[in-house]
PDB file of all heavy atoms in Angstrom:
ATOM      1  N   LEU A 172      -0.903   1.029  74.289  1.00 98.00           N
ATOM      2  CA  LEU A 172      -0.615   1.379  75.675  1.00 98.00           C
ATOM      3  C   LEU A 172       0.428   0.385  76.158  1.00 98.00           C
ATOM      4  O   LEU A 172       0.199  -0.837  76.079  1.00 98.00           O
ATOM      5  CB  LEU A 172      -1.903   1.250  76.499  1.00 98.00           C
ATOM      6  CG  LEU A 172      -1.761   1.526  77.989  1.00 98.00           C
ATOM      7  CD1 LEU A 172      -1.330   2.996  78.262  1.00 98.00           C
ATOM      8  CD2 LEU A 172      -3.103   1.274  78.730  1.00 98.00           C
ATOM      9  N   PRO A 345      -2.648  -4.646  80.296  1.00 91.00           N
ATOM     10  CA  PRO A 345      -3.319  -5.789  79.679  1.00 91.00           C
ATOM     11  C   PRO A 345      -3.657  -5.454  78.216  1.00 91.00           C
ATOM     12  O   PRO A 345      -3.564  -4.286  77.824  1.00 91.00           O
ATOM     13  CB  PRO A 345      -4.622  -5.927  80.483  1.00 91.00           C
ATOM     14  CG  PRO A 345      -4.853  -4.533  81.033  1.00 91.00           C
ATOM     15  CD  PRO A 345      -3.487  -3.967  81.275  1.00 91.00           C
ATOM     16  N   PRO A 346      -3.967  -6.437  77.385  1.00 91.00           N
ATOM     17  CA  PRO A 346      -4.296  -6.117  75.975  1.00 91.00           C
ATOM     18  C   PRO A 346      -5.354  -5.023  75.914  1.00 91.00           C
ATOM     19  O   PRO A 346      -6.421  -5.114  76.490  1.00 91.00           O
ATOM     20  CB  PRO A 346      -4.856  -7.461  75.451  1.00 91.00           C
ATOM     21  CG  PRO A 346      -4.145  -8.505  76.260  1.00 91.00           C
ATOM     22  CD  PRO A 346      -4.035  -7.876  77.659  1.00 91.00           C
ATOM     23  N   THR A 347      -4.998  -3.944  75.209  1.00 94.00           N
ATOM     24  CA  THR A 347      -5.821  -2.739  75.179  1.00 94.00           C
ATOM     25  C   THR A 347      -6.047  -2.315  73.737  1.00 94.00           C
ATOM     26  O   THR A 347      -5.064  -2.144  72.998  1.00 94.00           O
ATOM     27  CB  THR A 347      -5.156  -1.592  75.957  1.00 94.00           C
ATOM     28  OG1 THR A 347      -4.860  -2.021  77.278  1.00 94.00           O
ATOM     29  CG2 THR A 347      -6.064  -0.369  76.024  1.00 94.00           C
ATOM     30  N   SER A 348      -7.276  -2.163  73.319  1.00 95.00           N
ATOM     31  CA  SER A 348      -7.549  -1.747  71.938  1.00 95.00           C
ATOM     32  C   SER A 348      -7.217  -0.276  71.773  1.00 95.00           C
ATOM     33  O   SER A 348      -7.198   0.494  72.755  1.00 95.00           O
ATOM     34  CB  SER A 348      -9.009  -2.008  71.598  1.00 95.00           C
ATOM     35  OG  SER A 348      -9.840  -1.095  72.320  1.00 95.00           O
ATOM     36  N   PRO A 349      -7.021   0.178  70.533  1.00 95.00           N
ATOM     37  CA  PRO A 349      -6.777   1.590  70.299  1.00 95.00           C
ATOM     38  C   PRO A 349      -7.923   2.452  70.841  1.00 95.00           C
ATOM     39  O   PRO A 349      -7.690   3.566  71.354  1.00 95.00           O
ATOM     40  CB  PRO A 349      -6.667   1.716  68.768  1.00 95.00           C
ATOM     41  CG  PRO A 349      -6.159   0.368  68.359  1.00 95.00           C
ATOM     42  CD  PRO A 349      -6.829  -0.598  69.290  1.00 95.00           C
ATOM     43  N   GLU A 350      -9.164   1.964  70.746  1.00 96.00           N
ATOM     44  CA  GLU A 350     -10.326   2.699  71.221  1.00 96.00           C
ATOM     45  C   GLU A 350     -10.270   2.838  72.762  1.00 96.00           C
ATOM     46  O   GLU A 350     -10.605   3.884  73.328  1.00 96.00           O
ATOM     47  CB  GLU A 350     -11.603   2.001  70.807  1.00 96.00           C
ATOM     48  CG  GLU A 350     -11.876   2.037  69.308  1.00 96.00           C
ATOM     49  CD  GLU A 350     -11.016   1.045  68.537  1.00 96.00           C
ATOM     50  OE1 GLU A 350     -10.505   0.094  69.146  1.00 96.00           O
ATOM     51  OE2 GLU A 350     -10.874   1.252  67.303  1.00 96.00           O
ATOM     52  N   GLN A 351      -9.863   1.765  73.447  1.00 97.00           N
ATOM     53  CA  GLN A 351      -9.753   1.805  74.899  1.00 97.00           C
ATOM     54  C   GLN A 351      -8.628   2.760  75.333  1.00 97.00           C
ATOM     55  O   GLN A 351      -8.779   3.499  76.310  1.00 97.00           O
ATOM     56  CB  GLN A 351      -9.492   0.425  75.440  1.00 97.00           C
ATOM     57  CG  GLN A 351     -10.682  -0.529  75.338  1.00 97.00           C
ATOM     58  CD  GLN A 351     -10.298  -1.966  75.698  1.00 97.00           C
ATOM     59  OE1 GLN A 351      -9.213  -2.457  75.353  1.00 97.00           O
ATOM     60  NE2 GLN A 351     -11.181  -2.640  76.402  1.00 97.00           N
ATOM     61  N   PHE A 352      -7.526   2.734  74.600  1.00 97.00           N
ATOM     62  CA  PHE A 352      -6.404   3.624  74.888  1.00 97.00           C
ATOM     63  C   PHE A 352      -6.852   5.091  74.682  1.00 97.00           C
ATOM     64  O   PHE A 352      -6.526   5.962  75.499  1.00 97.00           O
ATOM     65  CB  PHE A 352      -5.225   3.273  73.996  1.00 97.00           C
ATOM     66  CG  PHE A 352      -3.931   4.031  74.321  1.00 97.00           C
ATOM     67  CD1 PHE A 352      -3.775   4.710  75.532  1.00 97.00           C
ATOM     68  CD2 PHE A 352      -2.887   4.002  73.447  1.00 97.00           C
ATOM     69  CE1 PHE A 352      -2.593   5.362  75.798  1.00 97.00           C
ATOM     70  CE2 PHE A 352      -1.701   4.663  73.696  1.00 97.00           C
ATOM     71  CZ  PHE A 352      -1.559   5.347  74.884  1.00 97.00           C
ATOM     72  N   SER A 353      -7.572   5.323  73.641  1.00 97.00           N
ATOM     73  CA  SER A 353      -8.073   6.692  73.357  1.00 97.00           C
ATOM     74  C   SER A 353      -8.984   7.168  74.495  1.00 97.00           C
ATOM     75  O   SER A 353      -8.896   8.340  74.929  1.00 97.00           O
ATOM     76  CB  SER A 353      -8.805   6.707  72.032  1.00 97.00           C
ATOM     77  OG  SER A 353      -9.284   8.017  71.740  1.00 97.00           O
ATOM     78  N   LYS A 354      -9.824   6.280  75.002  1.00 96.00           N
ATOM     79  CA  LYS A 354     -10.707   6.673  76.089  1.00 96.00           C
ATOM     80  C   LYS A 354      -9.936   6.950  77.380  1.00 96.00           C
ATOM     81  O   LYS A 354     -10.245   7.917  78.134  1.00 96.00           O
ATOM     82  CB  LYS A 354     -11.749   5.585  76.377  1.00 96.00           C
ATOM     83  CG  LYS A 354     -12.808   5.986  77.421  1.00 96.00           C
ATOM     84  CD  LYS A 354     -13.878   4.967  77.599  1.00 96.00           C
ATOM     85  CE  LYS A 354     -14.978   5.486  78.520  1.00 96.00           C
ATOM     86  NZ  LYS A 354     -14.469   5.989  79.827  1.00 96.00           N
ATOM     87  N   LEU A 355      -8.900   6.151  77.648  1.00 95.00           N
ATOM     88  CA  LEU A 355      -8.021   6.390  78.824  1.00 95.00           C
ATOM     89  C   LEU A 355      -7.425   7.793  78.730  1.00 95.00           C
ATOM     90  O   LEU A 355      -7.397   8.512  79.727  1.00 95.00           O
ATOM     91  CB  LEU A 355      -6.925   5.348  78.880  1.00 95.00           C
ATOM     92  CG  LEU A 355      -5.808   5.585  79.910  1.00 95.00           C
ATOM     93  CD1 LEU A 355      -6.380   5.558  81.346  1.00 95.00           C
ATOM     94  CD2 LEU A 355      -4.705   4.553  79.773  1.00 95.00           C
ATOM     95  N   LEU A 356      -6.927   8.142  77.551  1.00 97.00           N
ATOM     96  CA  LEU A 356      -6.365   9.481  77.363  1.00 97.00           C
ATOM     97  C   LEU A 356      -7.365  10.567  77.651  1.00 97.00           C
ATOM     98  O   LEU A 356      -7.089  11.524  78.377  1.00 97.00           O
ATOM     99  CB  LEU A 356      -5.786   9.613  75.942  1.00 97.00           C
ATOM    100  CG  LEU A 356      -5.344  11.014  75.527  1.00 97.00           C
ATOM    101  CD1 LEU A 356      -4.217  11.526  76.428  1.00 97.00           C
ATOM    102  CD2 LEU A 356      -4.898  11.006  74.054  1.00 97.00           C
ATOM    103  N   ASP A 358     -10.160  10.403  79.405  1.00 93.00           N
ATOM    104  CA  ASP A 358     -10.503  10.416  80.809  1.00 93.00           C
ATOM    105  C   ASP A 358      -9.425  11.110  81.641  1.00 93.00           C
ATOM    106  O   ASP A 358      -9.745  11.877  82.569  1.00 93.00           O
ATOM    107  CB  ASP A 358     -10.696   8.993  81.343  1.00 93.00           C
ATOM    108  CG  ASP A 358     -11.987   8.339  80.812  1.00 93.00           C
ATOM    109  OD1 ASP A 358     -12.827   9.070  80.249  1.00 93.00           O
ATOM    110  OD2 ASP A 358     -12.106   7.100  80.941  1.00 93.00           O
TER     111      ASP A 358
END
Side-chain angles (χ1 to χ4, degrees):
L172 178 63
T347 306
S348 69
E350 292 76 19
Q351 290 172 320
F352 188 14
S353 181
K354 186 176 186 307
L355 171 64
L356 171 61
D358 288 348

